[in-house]
Amino acid sequence: MSSINISIASYRDIELLPTIRSAWDNSSDPDSLHFTIVSQAEDDEHPDLSFIPEEQLTYYKFHWSQSKGVCWAREIGSRDIKGTFFLQTDSHSRFRAGWDKAIVNSYLSSYAHYGKIVFTTYPEGYKVNDNKQDEFHYRSNLLKIVPVWDEVEKMVGPSFQEASFNPYGDEIYYVSGNSLFCFKEIIEEVPYDSLLYFHGEEPSLGLRFYTRGIKLINTPVDFMFHEYKASWNESTPKRKLHWEDDPNWYLLNYQSYERLAKIMTGDTTLGI
């Protein structure tokens, strides 16, 4: 099977190691995986990933105080992609058995049908319970992302509808950063913007794909799970957030909003 580069940017997340383990252990062909990990943490918080062969791992370690936000980290994680396919996901994820074969086969089928595409979705959910066990939420039907205007944020945000039973997936108009799968050439054509902070990451990236003729397709197979809440219960430590650690985060956020406004109004001075 063709190789998959799994890009994961993690900010002080205790779920990072279980996420990587889940992708590795549930793969039908672990030898075909390459992990690009961007860990932003205390020096003693970076997990030991020595179980992954050296040639299958690109490991960036930053102290959390060096972080400039999620897009900064994801841009680093999408450099020098190894293999045929690129998968970006969050550091709080889990994977179904045989996930890699399922997503590759589905993507190739949809690509033959639609042309240049990105698979993207909000995956099924999971949580870690009080006994430190994973509990999975299985959907009866696939959901698809539908963009809606968020008057508070003054930008487009995601809502959800039941997807059709189209085996190639439904065309949608919003990107989910926690589940993005495509040929590596596509993410190289539309690279991450490291100068955005957090808000606006997904609508701007979706717009940049769309205006280059790359269709956004709601992933037609369930292949992974995502933990949507920073803390589910008292026994699970609350996930740390950059804007809670960095007192100057608002400066990055202000600069990001200014840049986002230029992107959304078609400023051609920003380059690729």
Side-chain angles (χ1 to χ4, degrees):
M1 190 179 71
S2 299
S3 54
I4 302 173
N5 194 132
I6 306 169
S7 175
I8 303 174
S10 170
Y11 185 81
R12 308 190 69 184
D13 193 347
I14 61 173
E15 286 290 286
L16 174 58
L17 181 57
T19 293
I20 297 170
R21 267 290 180 192
S22 178
W24 180 269
D25 292 343
N26 289 298
S27 169
S28 58
D29 184 11
D31 291 340
S32 71
L33 304 180
H34 186 94
F35 290 86
T36 301
I37 308 301
V38 183
S39 177
Q40 306 150 86
E42 292 284 356
D43 293 339
D44 60 355
E45 289 177 344
H46 301 295
D48 179 5
L49 301 181
S50 57
F51 69 92
I52 302 175
E54 184 176 346
E55 65 274 12
Q56 291 178 246
L57 177 66
T58 303
Y59 199 176
Y60 298 96
K61 299 178 183 179
F62 297 96
H63 190 270
W64 61 264
S65 61
Q66 296 175 274
S67 176
K68 295 179 176 64
V70 64
C71 293
W72 172 83
R74 283 178 167 170
E75 188 277 327
I76 294 171
S78 58
R79 297 174 185 172
D80 192 25
I81 300 169
K82 310 291 186 184
T84 305
F85 300 98
F86 175 80
L87 170 65
Q88 178 177 278
T89 190
D90 280 345
S91 53
H92 28 278
S93 303
R94 297 291 188 269
F95 292 82
R96 287 175 176 260
W99 67 269
D100 48 340
K101 184 177 181 180
I103 193 67
V104 166
N105 288 344
S106 181
Y107 182 83
L108 291 175
S109 177
S110 296
Y111 194 96
H113 179 76
Y114 284 115
K116 292 175 70 174
I117 59 170
V118 168
F119 267 1
T120 188
T121 190
Y122 275 72
E124 297 175 296
Y126 84 95
K127 67 177 181 179
V128 180
N129 64 26
D130 291 329
N131 297 319
K132 308 298 184 183
Q133 300 295 315
D134 294 334
E135 291 184 6
F136 298 100
H137 172 67
Y138 296 95
R139 296 172 181 155
S140 56
N141 295 298
L142 284 171
L143 297 180
K144 66 178 179 181
I145 312 170
V146 178
V148 295
W149 180 253
D150 186 329
E151 184 61 26
V152 175
E153 295 292 343
K154 300 295 183 183
M155 70 175 68
V156 171
S159 65
F160 305 94
Q161 292 179 0
E162 190 170 302
S164 72
F165 292 97
N166 183 350
Y168 304 113
D170 293 337
E171 185 173 2
I172 57 175
Y173 305 97
Y174 197 86
V175 164
S176 166
N178 64 36
S179 180
L180 189 159
F181 185 87
C182 59
F183 281 125
K184 76 168 185 175
E185 290 81 9
I186 290 178
I187 204 68
E188 290 170 345
E189 180 181 348
V190 186
Y192 249 79
D193 189 340
S194 64
L195 296 180
L196 293 182
Y197 178 64
F198 178 76
H199 290 293
E201 169 202 1
E202 294 173 331
S204 67
L205 188 61
L207 181 64
R208 291 171 57 222
F209 282 128
Y210 185 81
T211 53
R212 285 166 173 79
I214 299 166
K215 289 184 171 67
L216 306 176
I217 302 300
N218 197 73
T219 312
V221 293
D222 283 324
F223 72 104
M224 61 173 290
F225 302 84
H226 182 272
E227 185 189 41
Y228 287 99
K229 293 186 178 180
S231 179
W232 286 87
N233 50 52
E234 293 181 0
S235 66
T236 302
K238 185 177 183 295
R239 189 183 310 140
K240 298 181 186 299
L241 302 172
H242 181 266
W243 51 86
E244 294 176 346
D245 281 341
D246 187 343
N248 295 316
W249 73 272
Y250 66 94
L251 295 175
L252 293 170
N253 196 47
Y254 177 77
Q255 294 165 0
S256 177
Y257 265 94
E258 286 193 321
R259 184 172 180 83
L260 182 65
K262 292 180 179 180
I263 294 170
M264 292 299 190
T265 53
D267 189 328
T268 59
T269 67
L270 301 178
I272 192 170

